[in-house]
Amino acid sequence: MQACENEACFCNQINVMDSAARQKRMALGFLSNWVSRLAGIVIQLVQVPVFLHFWSVPLYGEWIAINAIPAYLSFSNIGFGTVAGNEMTMLMGRDDKAGALRVFQSCWWLISLVCAATMLVFGAALFALPASFWNGFHSLSVADARWILFALAMAVLFGQLEQLLGSVYTCVGRYPYGTFVKSILSLCAFAAMMVPVVLGRGPRAAADVFAVANIVGTIILGLMTRKDIPWIKFGWRHASWSEIRRLTRPAFAFMAFPIGNALNLQGTVLAVSYALGPVAVVTFATARTISRTALQMVQMVNLTFWPELGAAFGASNMDLVRTLHRRACQAALLIALVLIAIMMTVGPWFLVHWTSHKVPPSTELLLLLMVSVLLYAGWSTSSTLLQSTNRHHTLAAYYLFGTGVTVVVTFFAARYAGLNAAAASLILSELIMNTYVLPASLRVAHDTWEGFVAAMFRYPQSLRPAELLRRLRQTPELPGDRGEIEI
């Protein structure tokens, strides 16, 4: 009897330590995602004044145009980077290093071969195009335009390998560190590109330096991965075509999300433009930019819970999966509600001053956009469970259908009922997604509607003011059984 009690006590202590480590990982993960977002903001804010100071406006305009083309090459990994990361995380959830290594080597060689083939085809196409194709470029010579595209394409393609290397840190629970390192490498590559610009060199030199910096960054990340996680080996001994075939379907399904995002963002803007003209587009786009601030915070919650959900599901710990899913949805909805309240209070004022009084404030327009953000928080965070476990095939189809229908509805709503109706039409895709995602996620988590809804109004004991005060005064007690576990 005494032995059983000692064993139970030991198991409880292990659970407490696991919970504490999980909380630390998630807190660091949220902070590292903040750093990643901040790095992107810094790059966006710094590059415009620097480029415009050292280059002419026409030259910078052609640089922007030429930069947009290689971005489409990010589709070259066909979703294998994300799917491989999910699969490795689930395998490591049950301590299957051999399986994770098999997935890593298989996808490493597949992505490498696909990127190399893409680079060859893209390079041949660039240099085979006739000179008349480049007539739109006046500040750049034809030779420079071709070479800049080739260099920037190399940077994008090497980024596909970086994504897989980052997944290695994710699968062993070190995703905050992996995300932080990738953010630093991105800032270093950007800083390196700025050097020739400041020294008075042209776009070709900037593109060359940026490409070299990204290649060096990928090599550095590979060496760090090999040193930090010794069981990861770069070779082909464990690679398997059967593994690639098994991951092909979820990989192709992931392609639907960037396409759906393009429909949701650029597609609806184009619909408003064709229906109401450029002035209405400016009002619509600027108000939507403000509303997406809350959306960005929701996405950070999703990224924080993503690896933990995959690991828990891989370990068949459905109690933890259920709790993580509930807490993620609860956090996303709470953050969305708070930010919506803030945006509705200061958003119209900020819009006027941000645009130097050129865009009139519209409380009704902003409110409709915020409603779509709230509904987005409902399904997008819940869908993290489906995506992190590679159960996103039907989700991808719903997303493409919902965003595609919304673009059409937005056009007719704007044309016949005005800008507010166009904003209201964005709610359609969010409603479509909610009807599928929440029931599907609850089935995967073995959860019930009653338990899920009740959890939305119940905060973890560890976050309650009385509990926080008690923990400051004494050693914390073991978590009690409330149908959930502490995270």
Side-chain angles (χ1 to χ4, degrees):
M1 184 68 178
Q2 183 66 34
C4 292
E5 290 178 356
N6 290 338
E7 183 177 351
C9 181
F10 177 75
C11 290
N12 282 335
Q13 290 173 347
I14 292 295
N15 289 334
V16 170
M17 288 189 291
D18 287 346
S19 176
R22 190 179 304 111
Q23 290 176 4
K24 181 179 179 181
R25 280 198 309 270
M26 294 174 71
L28 290 174
F30 192 81
L31 288 174
S32 64
N33 285 321
W34 257 112
V35 172
S36 179
R37 299 285 181 185
L38 183 61
I41 292 172
V42 168
I43 290 172
Q44 293 297 321
L45 292 178
V46 170
Q47 67 177 350
V48 175
V50 171
F51 279 127
L52 288 177
H53 180 77
F54 292 97
W55 292 353
S56 66
V57 174
L59 180 61
Y60 180 49
E62 292 182 10
W63 170 264
I64 293 175
I66 214 167
N67 255 280
I69 299 173
Y72 291 99
L73 296 180
S74 61
F75 291 108
S76 59
N77 72 8
I78 323 174
F80 274 98
T82 304
V83 169
N86 291 341
E87 193 68 21
M88 290 165 64
T89 301
M90 289 188 285
L91 288 168
M92 288 303 295
R94 48 183 179 268
D95 201 27
D96 185 358
K97 291 182 181 178
L101 179 59
R102 185 171 61 251
V103 170
F104 173 78
Q105 287 195 354
S106 300
C107 290
W108 174 268
W109 283 107
L110 176 69
I111 294 173
S112 298
L113 291 172
V114 170
C115 287
T118 302
M119 194 72 259
L120 288 174
V121 173
F122 186 74
L126 280 178
F127 290 93
L129 289 171
S132 59
F133 178 83
W134 309 94
N135 286 341
F137 294 95
H138 304 289
S139 300
L140 289 171
S141 67
V142 173
D144 282 349
R146 284 171 170 163
W147 186 257
I148 290 167
L149 271 174
F150 186 78
L152 294 176
M154 287 184 64
V156 170
L157 291 172
F158 269 85
Q160 307 310 300
L161 294 174
E162 278 192 16
Q163 182 183 7
L164 184 60
L165 291 170
S167 298
V168 176
Y169 283 103
T170 299
C171 77
V172 296
R174 298 185 63 186
Y175 55 89
Y177 179 70
T179 302
F180 177 77
V181 170
K182 287 182 67 178
S183 300
I184 296 301
L185 290 175
S186 296
L187 283 174
C188 289
F190 172 74
M193 182 178 67
M194 290 293 100
V195 172
V197 176
V198 173
L199 293 177
R201 304 296 297 275
R204 183 165 180 169
D208 288 344
V209 172
F210 186 65
V212 171
N214 275 276
I215 293 170
V216 172
T218 302
I219 295 172
I220 290 173
L221 187 57
L223 293 174
M224 292 177 62
T225 303
R226 186 70 182 87
K227 179 179 179 296
D228 295 339
I229 309 168
W231 57 267
I232 285 292
K233 297 177 175 60
F234 294 92
W236 52 81
R237 196 174 105 188
H238 302 279
S240 166
W241 280 110
S242 61
E243 197 72 39
I244 293 172
R245 285 194 298 269
R246 185 175 66 84
L247 298 176
T248 296
R249 186 179 174 221
F252 273 99
F254 258 113
M255 294 287 289
F257 296 112
I259 297 172
N261 289 338
L263 288 171
N264 187 37
L265 294 175
Q266 286 81 24
T268 52
V269 169
L270 288 174
V272 172
S273 176
Y274 282 120
L276 299 176
V279 176
V281 167
V282 173
T283 303
F284 178 80
T286 51
R288 196 175 187 187
T289 299
I290 293 175
S291 72
R292 288 181 63 83
T293 303
L295 187 144
Q296 295 290 328
M297 289 295 295
V298 170
Q299 290 175 343
M300 286 176 53
V301 173
N302 301 351
L303 292 173
T304 301
F305 278 85
W306 186 304
E308 297 295 341
L309 282 165
F313 189 88
S316 299
N317 188 346
M318 300 313 297
D319 287 337
L320 181 56
V321 169
R322 191 160 44 249
T323 300
L324 288 169
H325 177 247
R326 291 175 177 181
R327 293 292 170 243
C329 293
Q330 185 184 52
L333 287 173
L334 180 61
I335 288 173
L337 286 170
V338 171
L339 288 177
I340 286 172
I342 294 173
M343 292 299 168
M344 290 307 302
T345 303
V346 303
W349 172 86
F350 177 78
L351 182 63
V352 170
H353 291 79
W354 182 43
T355 60
S356 301
H357 298 269
K358 294 179 180 178
V359 176
S362 175
T363 304
E364 296 81 6
L365 177 65
L366 191 58
L367 178 60
L368 289 168
L369 292 171
M370 286 299 182
V371 171
S372 67
V373 169
L374 181 62
L375 292 172
Y376 171 86
W379 74 263
S380 70
T381 304
S382 181
S383 73
T384 303
L385 174 57
L386 302 176
Q387 296 184 69
S388 65
T389 57
N390 286 339
R391 284 163 170 75
H392 56 273
H393 311 87
T394 308
L395 170 69
Y398 267 83
Y399 190 52
L400 272 182
F401 172 76
T403 52
V405 168
T406 299
V407 171
V408 177
V409 173
T410 300
F411 171 76
F412 287 104
R415 185 171 185 177
Y416 295 106
L419 201 56
N420 286 347
S425 69
L426 301 181
I427 297 173
L428 176 61
S429 63
E430 313 303 342
L431 290 174
I432 291 174
M433 296 306 298
N434 273 286
T435 58
Y436 166 74
V437 172
L438 287 172
S441 295
L442 292 181
R443 285 194 297 271
V444 172
H446 299 172
D447 205 350
T448 63
W449 276 106
E450 294 80 5
F452 177 79
V453 173
M456 295 300 101
F457 299 95
R458 185 174 64 235
Y459 290 88
Q461 184 178 352
S462 59
L463 295 182
R464 295 175 184 174
E467 177 65 13
L468 291 173
L469 182 61
R470 184 188 66 77
R471 289 191 177 196
L472 290 173
R473 293 175 176 174
Q474 63 184 52
T475 303
E477 299 173 1
L478 297 176
D481 183 12
R482 294 175 53 86
E484 299 180 55
I485 63 177
E486 290 287 327
I487 62 171

